């Protein structure tokens, strides 16, 4: 899968730009959603600190899993390894945003 995506990005600069654009949309969109939901939790206190700790714990676990996947799937001769690494970081923030949304719905709805 990674090799297919790498070869597709190598075919033209437009393909590369599509992947970079989608990765940035994923990354920035996830950060905005995460920031917005964390602001909706309220002012920092003992309750919100516990919620933030749960979100960060989920993101850290996802980060460990994504790093293991990155190390095992990405060969050293892949041209655009940085783009794959940033894509995996975007997925980590997406998981954090989804988990924060789930906690928000559970606590406030």
């Amino acid at each position: 899968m990674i090799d297919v995506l790498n070869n597709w990005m190598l075919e033209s600069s437009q393909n590369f730009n599509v992947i970079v654009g989608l990765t940035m949309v994923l990354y920035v969109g996830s950060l905005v959603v995460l920031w917005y939901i964390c602001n909706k939790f309220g002012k920092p206190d003992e309750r919100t600190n516990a919620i933030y700790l749960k979100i960060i714990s989920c993101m850290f676990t996802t980060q460990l899993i994504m790093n293991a996947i990155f190390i095992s799937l990405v060969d050293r001769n892949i041209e655009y390894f940085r783009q794959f690494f940033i894509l995996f970081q975007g997925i980590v923030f997406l998981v954090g945003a989804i988990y924060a949304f789930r906690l928000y719905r559970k606590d406030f709805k």
Side-chain angles (χ1 to χ4, degrees):
M1 173 75 179
I2 299 289
D3 294 331
V4 172
L5 188 57
N6 186 51
N7 291 336
W8 183 74
M9 284 194 301
L10 286 171
E11 286 177 8
S12 73
S13 62
Q14 186 177 7
N15 294 347
F16 174 76
N17 291 335
V18 166
I19 293 298
V20 170
L22 289 176
T23 300
M24 285 296 108
V25 166
L26 175 72
Y27 203 97
V28 172
S30 298
L31 280 174
V32 167
V33 168
L34 188 60
W35 177 79
Y36 178 74
I37 290 176
C38 285
N39 278 342
K40 289 193 72 115
F41 282 129
K43 302 235 185 241
D45 59 0
E46 293 154 1
R47 179 188 62 85
T48 58
N49 286 340
I51 292 171
Y52 296 151
L53 184 62
K54 287 179 186 177
I55 294 169
I56 291 171
S57 174
C58 175
M59 289 175 66
F60 181 70
T61 304
T62 306
Q63 179 70 45
L64 291 176
I65 292 169
M66 294 307 281
N67 283 346
I69 292 171
F70 180 79
I71 289 169
S72 65
L73 289 182
V74 176
D75 296 334
R76 60 186 152 113
N77 59 355
I78 289 205
E79 296 287 326
Y80 297 121
F81 71 92
R82 288 183 188 98
Q83 279 67 36
F84 292 117
F85 187 73
I86 293 171
L87 176 65
F88 287 165
Q89 296 301 315
I91 292 171
V92 167
F93 281 103
L94 178 66
V95 168
I98 291 170
Y99 188 65
F101 181 73
R102 192 175 132 223
L103 287 177
Y104 177 77
R105 299 243 331 156
K106 184 175 129 187
D107 285 347
F108 295 106
K109 300 288 178 179

